[in-house]
mmCIF file of all heavy atoms in Angstrom:
data_model
loop_
_atom_site.group_PDB
_atom_site.id
_atom_site.type_symbol
_atom_site.label_atom_id
_atom_site.label_comp_id
_atom_site.label_asym_id
_atom_site.label_seq_id
_atom_site.Cartn_x
_atom_site.Cartn_y
_atom_site.Cartn_z
ATOM 1 N N ASP H 12 0.806 -1.235 0.000
ATOM 2 C CA ASP H 12 0.000 0.000 0.000
ATOM 3 C C ASP H 12 0.832 1.275 0.000
ATOM 4 O O ASP H 12 0.317 2.356 0.295
ATOM 5 C CB ASP H 12 -0.981 0.025 1.183
ATOM 6 C CG ASP H 12 -2.049 -1.046 1.059
ATOM 7 O OD1 ASP H 12 -2.483 -1.305 -0.083
ATOM 8 O OD2 ASP H 12 -2.443 -1.619 2.087
ATOM 9 N N VAL H 13 2.113 1.184 -0.322
ATOM 10 C CA VAL H 13 2.977 2.355 -0.465
ATOM 11 C C VAL H 13 3.237 2.546 -1.962
ATOM 12 O O VAL H 13 3.664 1.617 -2.644
ATOM 13 C CB VAL H 13 4.318 2.183 0.288
ATOM 14 C CG1 VAL H 13 5.212 3.397 0.078
ATOM 15 C CG2 VAL H 13 4.080 1.928 1.767
ATOM 16 N N ILE H 14 2.957 3.738 -2.464
ATOM 17 C CA ILE H 14 3.213 4.025 -3.878
ATOM 18 C C ILE H 14 4.683 4.402 -4.032
ATOM 19 O O ILE H 14 5.206 5.174 -3.240
ATOM 20 C CB ILE H 14 2.260 5.130 -4.400
ATOM 21 C CG1 ILE H 14 2.267 5.197 -5.914
ATOM 22 C CG2 ILE H 14 2.547 6.474 -3.806
ATOM 23 C CD1 ILE H 14 1.361 4.241 -6.570
ATOM 24 N N VAL H 15 5.354 3.786 -4.997
ATOM 25 C CA VAL H 15 6.787 4.006 -5.199
ATOM 26 C C VAL H 15 6.965 4.721 -6.543
ATOM 27 O O VAL H 15 7.022 4.097 -7.595
ATOM 28 C CB VAL H 15 7.570 2.677 -5.167
ATOM 29 C CG1 VAL H 15 9.066 2.922 -5.326
ATOM 30 C CG2 VAL H 15 7.288 1.916 -3.868
ATOM 31 N N TYR H 16 7.036 6.053 -6.481
ATOM 32 C CA TYR H 16 7.129 6.849 -7.703
ATOM 33 C C TYR H 16 8.470 6.673 -8.410
ATOM 34 O O TYR H 16 8.569 6.944 -9.607
ATOM 35 C CB TYR H 16 6.888 8.335 -7.400
ATOM 36 C CG TYR H 16 5.459 8.634 -7.020
ATOM 37 C CD1 TYR H 16 5.133 9.016 -5.722
ATOM 38 C CD2 TYR H 16 4.433 8.535 -7.945
ATOM 39 C CE1 TYR H 16 3.826 9.296 -5.370
ATOM 40 C CE2 TYR H 16 3.126 8.803 -7.600
ATOM 41 C CZ TYR H 16 2.827 9.193 -6.315
ATOM 42 O OH TYR H 16 1.527 9.464 -5.962
ATOM 43 N N SER H 17 9.482 6.203 -7.706
ATOM 44 C CA SER H 17 10.781 5.948 -8.344
ATOM 45 C C SER H 17 10.669 4.845 -9.392
ATOM 46 O O SER H 17 11.388 4.851 -10.390
ATOM 47 C CB SER H 17 11.821 5.526 -7.296
ATOM 48 O OG SER H 17 11.864 6.433 -6.235
ATOM 49 N N ASP H 18 9.785 3.900 -9.159
ATOM 50 C CA ASP H 18 9.593 2.760 -10.060
ATOM 51 C C ASP H 18 8.466 3.089 -11.034
ATOM 52 O O ASP H 18 7.370 2.557 -10.960
ATOM 53 C CB ASP H 18 9.245 1.502 -9.270
ATOM 54 C CG ASP H 18 10.378 1.016 -8.385
ATOM 55 O OD1 ASP H 18 11.403 1.705 -8.295
ATOM 56 O OD2 ASP H 18 10.225 -0.053 -7.773
ATOM 57 N N LEU H 19 8.742 3.984 -11.956
ATOM 58 C CA LEU H 19 7.726 4.499 -12.864
ATOM 59 C C LEU H 19 7.855 3.875 -14.247
ATOM 60 O O LEU H 19 8.962 3.684 -14.759
ATOM 61 C CB LEU H 19 7.892 6.027 -12.985
ATOM 62 C CG LEU H 19 6.763 6.781 -13.650
ATOM 63 C CD1 LEU H 19 5.526 6.767 -12.761
ATOM 64 C CD2 LEU H 19 7.191 8.217 -13.913
ATOM 65 N N ILE H 20 6.708 3.558 -14.835
ATOM 66 C CA ILE H 20 6.635 3.081 -16.216
ATOM 67 C C ILE H 20 5.593 3.921 -16.938
ATOM 68 O O ILE H 20 4.505 4.162 -16.406
ATOM 69 C CB ILE H 20 6.243 1.589 -16.290
ATOM 70 C CG1 ILE H 20 7.305 0.716 -15.623
ATOM 71 C CG2 ILE H 20 6.027 1.160 -17.744
ATOM 72 C CD1 ILE H 20 6.954 -0.765 -15.590
ATOM 73 N N LYS H 21 5.926 4.357 -18.153
ATOM 74 C CA LYS H 21 4.991 5.119 -18.980
ATOM 75 C C LYS H 21 4.539 4.235 -20.128
ATOM 76 O O LYS H 21 5.373 3.620 -20.802
ATOM 77 C CB LYS H 21 5.649 6.384 -19.523
ATOM 78 C CG LYS H 21 6.047 7.359 -18.439
ATOM 79 C CD LYS H 21 6.733 8.574 -19.024
ATOM 80 C CE LYS H 21 7.180 9.504 -17.911
ATOM 81 N NZ LYS H 21 7.797 10.720 -18.430
ATOM 82 N N VAL H 22 3.225 4.177 -20.339
ATOM 83 C CA VAL H 22 2.655 3.373 -21.418
ATOM 84 C C VAL H 22 1.845 4.294 -22.327
ATOM 85 O O VAL H 22 1.015 5.070 -21.860
ATOM 86 C CB VAL H 22 1.767 2.236 -20.862
ATOM 87 C CG1 VAL H 22 1.170 1.426 -22.007
ATOM 88 C CG2 VAL H 22 2.551 1.333 -19.921
ATOM 89 N N LYS H 23 2.102 4.176 -23.626
ATOM 90 C CA LYS H 23 1.431 4.990 -24.648
ATOM 91 C C LYS H 23 0.408 4.105 -25.359
ATOM 92 O O LYS H 23 0.761 3.059 -25.922
ATOM 93 C CB LYS H 23 2.507 5.498 -25.617
ATOM 94 C CG LYS H 23 2.074 6.559 -26.568
ATOM 95 C CD LYS H 23 3.305 7.184 -27.235
ATOM 96 C CE LYS H 23 3.463 6.696 -28.637
ATOM 97 N NZ LYS H 23 4.518 7.384 -29.387
ATOM 98 N N ILE H 24 -0.875 4.534 -25.317
ATOM 99 C CA ILE H 24 -1.974 3.714 -25.821
ATOM 100 C C ILE H 24 -2.787 4.499 -26.844
ATOM 101 O O ILE H 24 -3.191 5.644 -26.581
ATOM 102 C CB ILE H 24 -2.899 3.277 -24.658
ATOM 103 C CG1 ILE H 24 -2.083 2.529 -23.595
ATOM 104 C CG2 ILE H 24 -4.060 2.427 -25.158
ATOM 105 C CD1 ILE H 24 -2.773 2.393 -22.262
ATOM 106 N N ALA H 25 -3.070 3.877 -27.997
ATOM 107 C CA ALA H 25 -3.928 4.489 -29.015
ATOM 108 C C ALA H 25 -5.373 4.377 -28.555
ATOM 109 O O ALA H 25 -5.828 3.301 -28.157
ATOM 110 C CB ALA H 25 -3.734 3.786 -30.351
ATOM 111 N N LEU H 26 -6.098 5.487 -28.605
ATOM 112 C CA LEU H 26 -7.483 5.497 -28.129
ATOM 113 C C LEU H 26 -8.488 5.086 -29.202
ATOM 114 O O LEU H 26 -9.687 5.037 -28.938
ATOM 115 C CB LEU H 26 -7.827 6.880 -27.572
ATOM 116 C CG LEU H 26 -7.069 7.254 -26.295
ATOM 117 C CD1 LEU H 26 -7.332 8.701 -25.910
ATOM 118 C CD2 LEU H 26 -7.419 6.314 -25.151
ATOM 119 N N ASP H 27 -7.993 4.748 -30.399
ATOM 120 C CA ASP H 27 -8.914 4.260 -31.423
ATOM 121 C C ASP H 27 -9.129 2.750 -31.318
ATOM 122 O O ASP H 27 -10.227 2.253 -31.560
ATOM 123 C CB ASP H 27 -8.468 4.659 -32.839
ATOM 124 C CG ASP H 27 -7.080 4.163 -33.212
ATOM 125 O OD1 ASP H 27 -6.368 3.572 -32.361
ATOM 126 O OD2 ASP H 27 -6.681 4.382 -34.381
ATOM 127 N N ASN H 28 -8.075 2.017 -30.915
ATOM 128 C CA ASN H 28 -8.231 0.555 -30.842
ATOM 129 C C ASN H 28 -7.504 -0.088 -29.652
ATOM 130 O O ASN H 28 -7.491 -1.305 -29.543
ATOM 131 C CB ASN H 28 -7.756 -0.091 -32.144
ATOM 132 C CG ASN H 28 -6.271 0.098 -32.378
ATOM 133 O OD1 ASN H 28 -5.556 0.658 -31.559
ATOM 134 N ND2 ASN H 28 -5.807 -0.389 -33.534
ATOM 135 N N GLY H 29 -6.871 0.708 -28.790
ATOM 136 C CA GLY H 29 -6.201 0.167 -27.610
ATOM 137 C C GLY H 29 -4.816 -0.394 -27.862
ATOM 138 O O GLY H 29 -4.217 -0.997 -26.963
ATOM 139 N N GLU H 30 -4.276 -0.178 -29.043
ATOM 140 C CA GLU H 30 -2.938 -0.681 -29.349
ATOM 141 C C GLU H 30 -1.892 0.017 -28.469
ATOM 142 O O GLU H 30 -1.943 1.226 -28.267
ATOM 143 C CB GLU H 30 -2.612 -0.430 -30.822
ATOM 144 C CG GLU H 30 -1.249 -0.935 -31.247
ATOM 145 C CD GLU H 30 -0.934 -0.626 -32.710
ATOM 146 O OE1 GLU H 30 -1.648 0.171 -33.342
ATOM 147 O OE2 GLU H 30 0.049 -1.202 -33.203
ATOM 148 N N ILE H 31 -0.964 -0.775 -27.962
ATOM 149 C CA ILE H 31 0.150 -0.217 -27.196
ATOM 150 C C ILE H 31 1.160 0.326 -28.194
ATOM 151 O O ILE H 31 1.710 -0.417 -29.005
ATOM 152 C CB ILE H 31 0.816 -1.286 -26.291
ATOM 153 C CG1 ILE H 31 -0.205 -1.926 -25.350
ATOM 154 C CG2 ILE H 31 1.992 -0.683 -25.526
ATOM 155 C CD1 ILE H 31 -0.858 -0.995 -24.365
ATOM 156 N N LEU H 32 1.391 1.651 -28.132
ATOM 157 C CA LEU H 32 2.291 2.294 -29.090
ATOM 158 C C LEU H 32 3.662 2.587 -28.482
ATOM 159 O O LEU H 32 4.593 2.908 -29.218
ATOM 160 C CB LEU H 32 1.676 3.606 -29.597
ATOM 161 C CG LEU H 32 0.359 3.475 -30.345
ATOM 162 C CD1 LEU H 32 -0.153 4.852 -30.731
ATOM 163 C CD2 LEU H 32 0.528 2.587 -31.565
ATOM 164 N N GLY H 33 3.770 2.484 -27.170
ATOM 165 C CA GLY H 33 5.061 2.755 -26.563
ATOM 166 C C GLY H 33 5.090 2.387 -25.099
ATOM 167 O O GLY H 33 4.051 2.305 -24.431
ATOM 168 N N ILE H 34 6.296 2.125 -24.623
ATOM 169 C CA ILE H 34 6.512 1.852 -23.208
ATOM 170 C C ILE H 34 7.904 2.352 -22.851
ATOM 171 O O ILE H 34 8.856 2.161 -23.616
ATOM 172 C CB ILE H 34 6.341 0.350 -22.862
ATOM 173 C CG1 ILE H 34 6.519 0.114 -21.362
ATOM 174 C CG2 ILE H 34 7.251 -0.514 -23.689
ATOM 175 C CD1 ILE H 34 6.128 -1.287 -20.900
ATOM 176 N N GLU H 35 7.990 3.026 -21.722
ATOM 177 C CA GLU H 35 9.272 3.552 -21.241
ATOM 178 C C GLU H 35 9.440 3.041 -19.816
ATOM 179 O O GLU H 35 8.630 3.344 -18.943
ATOM 180 C CB GLU H 35 9.247 5.085 -21.293
ATOM 181 C CG GLU H 35 10.619 5.719 -21.177
ATOM 182 C CD GLU H 35 11.052 5.903 -19.746
ATOM 183 O OE1 GLU H 35 10.340 6.550 -18.987
ATOM 184 O OE2 GLU H 35 12.121 5.360 -19.395
ATOM 185 N N THR H 36 10.462 2.237 -19.598
ATOM 186 C CA THR H 36 10.621 1.531 -18.325
ATOM 187 C C THR H 36 11.883 1.885 -17.551
ATOM 188 O O THR H 36 12.175 1.243 -16.544
ATOM 189 C CB THR H 36 10.636 0.002 -18.575
ATOM 190 O OG1 THR H 36 11.737 -0.295 -19.438
ATOM 191 C CG2 THR H 36 9.345 -0.484 -19.195
ATOM 192 N N SER H 37 12.633 2.876 -17.991
ATOM 193 C CA SER H 37 13.941 3.120 -17.371
ATOM 194 C C SER H 37 13.838 3.426 -15.868
ATOM 195 O O SER H 37 14.679 2.975 -15.096
ATOM 196 C CB SER H 37 14.704 4.213 -18.105
ATOM 197 O OG SER H 37 13.996 5.425 -18.082
ATOM 198 N N GLY H 38 12.839 4.197 -15.444
ATOM 199 C CA GLY H 38 12.689 4.470 -14.016
ATOM 200 C C GLY H 38 12.526 3.191 -13.213
ATOM 201 O O GLY H 38 13.180 2.982 -12.190
ATOM 202 N N TYR H 39 11.667 2.308 -13.697
ATOM 203 C CA TYR H 39 11.424 1.034 -13.027
ATOM 204 C C TYR H 39 12.674 0.159 -13.055
ATOM 205 O O TYR H 39 13.107 -0.355 -12.021
ATOM 206 C CB TYR H 39 10.258 0.317 -13.701
ATOM 207 C CG TYR H 39 9.866 -0.976 -13.040
ATOM 208 C CD1 TYR H 39 8.831 -1.007 -12.124
ATOM 209 C CD2 TYR H 39 10.508 -2.170 -13.349
ATOM 210 C CE1 TYR H 39 8.450 -2.194 -11.521
ATOM 211 C CE2 TYR H 39 10.138 -3.352 -12.751
ATOM 212 C CZ TYR H 39 9.113 -3.363 -11.829
ATOM 213 O OH TYR H 39 8.759 -4.547 -11.224
ATOM 214 N N LEU H 40 13.264 -0.002 -14.228
ATOM 215 C CA LEU H 40 14.404 -0.906 -14.361
ATOM 216 C C LEU H 40 15.627 -0.422 -13.585
ATOM 217 O O LEU H 40 16.412 -1.234 -13.094
ATOM 218 C CB LEU H 40 14.760 -1.094 -15.839
ATOM 219 C CG LEU H 40 13.702 -1.810 -16.674
ATOM 220 C CD1 LEU H 40 14.112 -1.842 -18.138
ATOM 221 C CD2 LEU H 40 13.421 -3.209 -16.154
ATOM 222 N N ASN H 41 15.799 0.888 -13.467
ATOM 223 C CA ASN H 41 16.962 1.419 -12.754
ATOM 224 C C ASN H 41 16.804 1.443 -11.240
ATOM 225 O O ASN H 41 17.809 1.536 -10.531
ATOM 226 C CB ASN H 41 17.281 2.837 -13.246
ATOM 227 C CG ASN H 41 17.868 2.840 -14.637
ATOM 228 O OD1 ASN H 41 18.567 1.914 -15.032
ATOM 229 N ND2 ASN H 41 17.575 3.880 -15.387
ATOM 230 N N SER H 42 15.588 1.355 -10.736
ATOM 231 C CA SER H 42 15.450 1.514 -9.288
ATOM 232 C C SER H 42 14.622 0.439 -8.593
ATOM 233 O O SER H 42 14.573 0.409 -7.373
ATOM 234 C CB SER H 42 14.856 2.894 -8.969
ATOM 235 O OG SER H 42 13.545 2.996 -9.464
ATOM 236 N N HIS H 43 13.971 -0.448 -9.341
ATOM 237 C CA HIS H 43 13.068 -1.408 -8.693
ATOM 238 C C HIS H 43 13.811 -2.404 -7.819
ATOM 239 O O HIS H 43 14.802 -3.017 -8.236
ATOM 240 C CB HIS H 43 12.239 -2.160 -9.730
ATOM 241 C CG HIS H 43 11.274 -3.109 -9.100
ATOM 242 N ND1 HIS H 43 10.200 -2.673 -8.363
ATOM 243 C CD2 HIS H 43 11.244 -4.453 -9.064
ATOM 244 C CE1 HIS H 43 9.535 -3.728 -7.906
ATOM 245 N NE2 HIS H 43 10.153 -4.822 -8.312
#
C-alpha cells in the first residue's frame, strides 16, 4: 500500500483501438 514513484513506467496507448504504441521503463528498471 505504499506508492513508489521511483519505479515508474509510462505506457502509450492508441485510443482508437487500444494498441500499445510505446513503453518507457527506465525508471522502473533502474530503481526497482
